[in-house]
Amino acid sequence: MNSRGIWLSYLLGIGLLHVILLSIPFASVPVVWTLTNVIHNLCMYLLLHLVKGTPFETPDQSKARFCTYWEQMDYGVQFTASRKFLTITPIVLYILTSFYTKYDQDHFVVNTVSLMTVLIPKLPQLHGVR
Amino acid sequence: YQYILVTALYMLKPWERTIFNSILISVAGMAVYTGYVFM
Amino acid sequence: KNNYVHNASLYNKPFVEQFEETPLFVAVLTYVGYGILTIFGYLRDFLRNWGIEKCHLARERDEQKDFVPLYQDFENFYTRNLYMRIRDNWNRPICSVPGAKMDLVERTSKDYNWTFEHTGKVVKDVINMGSYNYLGFAENTGRCADSATGSTHKYGVGVGSTRSEMGNLDIHEELEQLVARFLGVESSMAFGMGFATNSMNIPALAGKGCLILSDELNHASLVLGARLSGATIRVFKHNNMVSLEKLLRDAIVHGQPRTHRPWKKILILVEGIYSMEGSIVRLPEVIALKKHYKAYLYLDEAHSIGALGPRGGGVVDYFGLDPKDVDIMMGTFTKSFGAAGGYIGGKRELIDYLRSHSHSSIYATAMSPPVSQQIITSMKIIMGEDDTTLGAERLKQLSENTVYFRRKLREMGFIIYGNDDSPVVPMMLYMPAKIGAFGREMVKRNIGTVVVGFPATPIIESRARFCVSAAHTRDMLDTVSHRSETCWKKEKIKEGK
């Protein structure tokens, strides 16, 4: 997550997801934003907080095998730039989504629950907690 | 050739390329249609 | 960006290394490529799990499902979904000596590289830009081959015992004295395997309470040896002396974590030539730092011994430094001597200590006599002790070939990494599909190259790696550069700034 261009690619990926959803003719703008938020948070939860280990062999005698991607990032050091970036992005997306759904209650509940699923595992107190 | 190299379709099987290209074309078609309706 | 030399006064020659940064646009497209491959990887896993697609992989039987999984499912994701698709570029069987030219066994696959079949044909005279054969001693004719044959008749091929028991032959003694003379150190010890020379001897040199400062791009054998030793390991940025000095200062000021006791010893691990980067260690600065902070220096010259320096004495010879400033001189016989195995050189008491404490001297069978003989003969040729100038000619040829080939590729616009004097020439490809395409296209043009990608390199720095040899002639190098250019034009590989 520190290599060059990965943050830009990630933001472009969110933008691309939103454009794809926006191009669904019968979907309204609030629904599209909520879908963007929920799909993004779902993918983030799966890739960063559910899948454990590495998709290739590592020379560390599989020490990383029981750690999620989020726990392996930056060798477990907390509050690094990448961690801050990956924590702030869902929050910004959530704020945008709330705005575009005109703070409708149903959307608000769905988006808030979805945001919590990606914010709570990022807390330093939950590092390595199962 | 450049397109399949840059998108890494070069490494996929023909049927996977077909899936990818049909998704791409349908999304592009939907985007054009929605853009047109929106305009 | 050129890594400028901070302490130019320490160097006896200009030290120029280039590592052009990956263009942002190319980096983003590279991530897109990996993203698409990952998505289709998950799709394929899904189809395999539900039996829709035939699974070629080794898996537990249904009766074994309740046991601990033998096959790490996710850890194999990359191998089965990305590597498999282009793995015809790797492990190509050859049916000749890996010299300047070689013969490839042609093979095909009907199931997208899950299995291969030999077609029975041989691709003759492929220009070999992949093997480590810096001085061209990978030959099955000539003085080395004859002497190796003679020693096979005299000793047989293998030694059935370890050095500390029956396996200590006179040829090993002769080899070790020659190596010590070649390096300019008091004593040396030879091992039958290069990787084991690192992974089995570092644990004998460092242990609990010691600190190992390791370059971030060190070879897996150094990493394994450091881990097996149980010492505390800290990693500094590749060839970055500011980062190394900072770690040294912190280590000395703060000492061990929690107790803050001083470290028993601090061992700096560096390589002479980094075979994936093509960079050369900043040895004068490393030695200045180690003297200043009273640390020990372990120099792995796997690629640089025989390939660098006016006498072929490695990176110490290249910078004109005193071998006694390096506490532990390690190297291998694989790359420049057409042989196998490794050595450690240094002070007599160090080597005597290793003879009695090294895992390899107690458990590993001794080095095969014909291989030892190959090393002795080639080393004597390099040192000029065979009354010919063959060694000096080859060293000169390698140096000229290296400078010529690097300059030619750079003039063509390729992005080349590393030091101008390094015979390892990494050429950047970046995108995952271009790894497979470049390797295949080059074999079509009768050139064998090595292509390397993630996770052996950073994800946005996939590359082809050319290894220049003294055995390559000028028109071979011209052929390689021209045909690379046609490949490069066809694939529109990123042009250097």
Side-chain angles (χ1 to χ4, degrees):
Chain A
M1 291 312 286
N2 299 317
S3 67
R4 182 174 162 74
I6 191 82
W7 294 9
L8 173 63
S9 307
Y10 167 63
L11 294 176
L12 290 177
I14 298 176
L16 183 69
L17 170 67
H18 186 65
V19 165
I20 290 174
L21 294 170
L22 210 54
S23 63
I24 298 171
F26 46 83
S28 68
V29 171
V31 167
V32 165
W33 274 98
T34 297
L35 275 178
T36 306
N37 186 45
V38 169
I39 293 172
H40 164 265
N41 292 340
L42 187 66
C43 295
M44 178 177 259
Y45 180 77
L46 287 176
L47 289 177
L48 289 191
H49 303 297
L50 193 68
V51 171
K52 292 180 185 62
T54 52
F56 47 80
E57 310 234 338
T58 47
D60 65 353
Q61 286 84 36
S62 290
K63 206 185 299 168
R65 199 164 80 185
F66 301 107
C67 298
T68 62
Y69 192 165
W70 178 258
E71 288 159 350
Q72 295 174 46
M73 240 161 63
D74 300 316
Y75 303 102
V77 175
Q78 297 297 326
F79 302 114
T80 58
S82 306
R83 288 175 187 266
K84 290 173 189 168
F85 172 75
L86 289 171
T87 307
I88 289 170
T89 316
I91 295 169
V92 169
L93 188 61
Y94 170 74
I95 293 169
L96 282 173
T97 305
S98 301
F99 170 73
Y100 279 105
T101 55
K102 299 182 178 53
Y103 305 102
D104 170 77
Q105 181 157 355
D106 301 342
H107 288 282
F108 183 75
V109 169
V110 170
N111 289 317
T112 306
V113 169
S114 168
L115 177 68
M116 287 303 127
T117 61
V118 290
L119 278 195
I120 291 170
K122 290 188 168 64
L123 294 174
Q125 294 78 1
L126 294 184
H127 183 83
V129 170
R130 295 289 178 264
Chain B
Y1 186 64
Q2 197 50 229
Y3 163 69
I4 61 172
L5 274 183
V6 169
T7 54
L9 295 188
Y10 173 87
M11 293 164 66
L12 300 183
K13 285 185 177 176
W15 62 268
E16 291 174 304
R17 289 186 198 178
T18 310
I19 290 180
F20 180 83
N21 289 325
S22 44
I23 290 174
L24 190 67
I25 290 167
S26 49
V27 165
M30 273 194 326
V32 167
Y33 171 72
T34 309
Y36 170 71
V37 166
F38 183 74
M39 300 300 179
Chain C
K1 54 189 184 302
N2 294 354
N3 289 7
Y4 290 109
V5 180
H6 301 281
N7 307 302
S9 59
L10 292 171
Y11 291 83
N12 61 352
K13 63 178 66 181
F15 185 89
V16 180
E17 281 194 351
Q18 318 219 355
F19 296 96
E20 185 162 337
E21 227 172 14
T22 308
L24 203 53
F25 174 65
V26 171
V28 172
L29 287 180
T30 305
Y31 296 125
V32 166
Y34 277 104
I36 291 169
L37 290 168
T38 304
I39 291 168
F40 277 97
Y42 277 112
L43 170 69
R44 298 292 292 276
D45 280 355
F46 172 79
L47 298 179
R48 283 187 204 110
N49 269 343
W50 291 94
I52 300 167
E53 180 188 337
K54 180 176 182 314
C55 178
H56 300 268
L57 277 164
R59 298 211 308 190
E60 289 94 357
R61 289 200 306 273
D62 291 341
E63 304 81 27
Q64 294 168 327
K65 286 292 181 205
D66 301 332
F67 291 95
V68 173
L70 283 177
Y71 302 98
Q72 261 316 309
D73 196 29
F74 187 61
E75 204 164 66
N76 210 335
F77 180 91
Y78 189 83
T79 304
R80 68 174 175 266
N81 291 312
L82 275 80
Y83 171 68
M84 271 301 168
R85 298 173 185 273
I86 53 175
R87 77 166 176 155
D88 54 298
N89 283 293
W90 287 275
N91 307 313
R92 288 182 191 280
I94 68 174
C95 52
S96 73
V97 77
K101 292 199 170 187
M102 61 186 170
D103 302 338
L104 283 187
V105 177
E106 191 178 65
R107 60 183 184 180
T108 57
S109 170
K110 295 191 179 70
D111 50 10
Y112 287 90
N113 296 340
W114 284 101
T115 59
F116 290 103
E117 286 159 15
H118 290 319
T119 59
K121 280 184 265 170
V122 171
V123 184
K124 302 288 277 180
D125 287 342
V126 176
I127 299 179
N128 180 7
M129 294 305 287
S131 293
Y132 299 135
N133 175 27
Y134 298 128
L135 293 179
F137 282 113
E139 302 160 313
N140 52 10
T141 56
R143 196 193 312 252
C144 292
D146 299 341
S147 60
T149 310
S151 92
T152 305
H153 291 307
K154 181 178 175 190
Y155 293 97
V157 266
V159 179
S161 174
T162 68
R163 292 293 300 277
S164 53
E165 287 169 12
M166 307 290 290
N168 204 15
L169 307 182
D170 56 349
I171 196 169
H172 298 134
E173 302 281 334
E174 181 193 353
L175 169 63
E176 290 173 347
Q177 282 149 25
L178 181 66
V179 169
R181 227 163 3 102
F182 180 57
L183 296 173
V185 293
E186 288 176 26
S187 177
S188 81
M189 186 175 174
F191 303 92
M193 180 182 172
F195 190 102
T197 308
N198 279 333
S199 59
M200 295 293 120
N201 286 305
I202 293 174
L205 297 170
K208 283 237 172 302
C210 299
L211 174 67
I212 288 181
L213 300 179
S214 173
D215 187 298
E216 70 179 332
L217 296 183
N218 269 345
H219 188 262
S221 57
L222 288 167
V223 173
L224 181 57
R227 285 211 169 101
L228 289 175
S229 69
T232 304
I233 301 164
R234 287 183 187 156
V235 173
F236 60 91
K237 290 189 183 58
H238 174 54
N239 228 0
N240 186 317
M241 295 305 118
V242 176
S243 167
L244 173 57
E245 179 161 17
K246 184 175 180 323
L247 286 182
L248 276 166
R249 293 170 70 87
D250 289 352
I252 288 171
V253 166
H254 300 298
Q256 298 189 39
R258 211 167 35 77
T259 62
H260 294 291
R261 276 196 208 103
W263 294 102
K264 284 183 198 157
K265 70 179 87 149
I266 298 176
L267 185 63
I268 301 170
L269 293 189
V270 289
E271 287 183 40
I273 287 182
Y274 286 86
S275 65
M276 217 43 92
E277 303 302 306
S279 54
I280 296 178
V281 67
R282 297 168 185 278
L283 194 60
E285 296 182 64
V286 175
I287 288 180
L289 284 173
K290 100 168 221 316
K291 284 179 175 175
H292 185 59
Y293 291 100
K294 310 274 184 297
Y296 293 101
L297 177 57
Y298 183 110
L299 175 64
D300 174 347
E301 296 220 59
H303 286 266
S304 50
I305 192 70
L308 272 187
R311 290 183 313 104
V315 74
V316 176
D317 184 30
Y318 173 72
F319 287 114
L321 300 167
D322 179 1
K324 293 182 180 49
D325 288 336
V326 179
D327 300 288
I328 299 135
M329 296 267 276
M330 180 268 167
T332 61
F333 302 116
T334 323
K335 287 90 180 176
S336 292
F337 303 89
Y343 67 82
I344 284 193
K347 290 195 169 50
R348 182 167 306 285
E349 57 264 18
L350 167 75
I351 302 303
D352 292 347
Y353 170 80
L354 280 180
R355 269 192 222 290
S356 53
H357 286 74
S358 160
H359 187 287
S360 286
S361 68
I362 295 164
Y363 295 106
T365 53
M367 183 187 272
S368 154
V371 174
S372 310
Q373 188 56 53
Q374 163 82 20
I375 299 163
I376 290 169
T377 314
S378 52
M379 195 169 274
K380 284 188 172 165
I381 290 173
I382 295 171
M383 294 165 81
E385 294 185 0
D386 63 332
D387 308 329
T388 69
T389 58
L390 181 63
E393 284 160 19
R394 289 194 176 191
L395 285 167
K396 186 163 158 291
Q397 186 65 44
L398 173 63
S399 166
E400 286 171 5
N401 282 354
T402 299
V403 171
Y404 175 77
F405 189 63
R406 278 180 163 272
R407 195 185 63 238
K408 196 135 176 89
L409 288 186
R410 198 162 278 137
E411 280 164 4
M412 286 179 173
F414 290 110
I415 298 182
I416 305 291
Y417 268 13
N419 196 299
D420 285 351
D421 292 331
S422 154
V424 177
V425 187
M427 185 196 101
M428 305 313 287
L429 299 174
Y430 298 116
M431 293 168 203
K434 293 192 177 179
I435 304 173
F438 188 78
R440 290 170 185 160
E441 291 297 326
M442 288 297 267
V443 169
K444 278 184 203 162
R445 292 164 171 79
N446 240 37
I447 294 167
T449 52
V450 163
V451 284
V452 193
F454 181 76
T457 63
I459 194 165
I460 52 172
E461 293 181 5
S462 303
R463 61 196 73 175
R465 191 190 57 194
F466 296 112
C467 287
V468 180
S469 166
H472 289 137
T473 59
R474 193 53 60 96
D475 65 328
M476 276 185 206
L477 297 177
D478 289 338
T479 307
V480 171
S481 48
H482 289 313
R483 292 184 189 172
S484 307
E485 190 178 24
T486 57
C487 266
W488 173 63
K489 283 202 167 71
K490 180 174 182 186
E491 295 172 23
K492 290 191 179 49
I493 294 171
K494 186 71 193 76
E495 210 166 314
K497 289 192 178 82

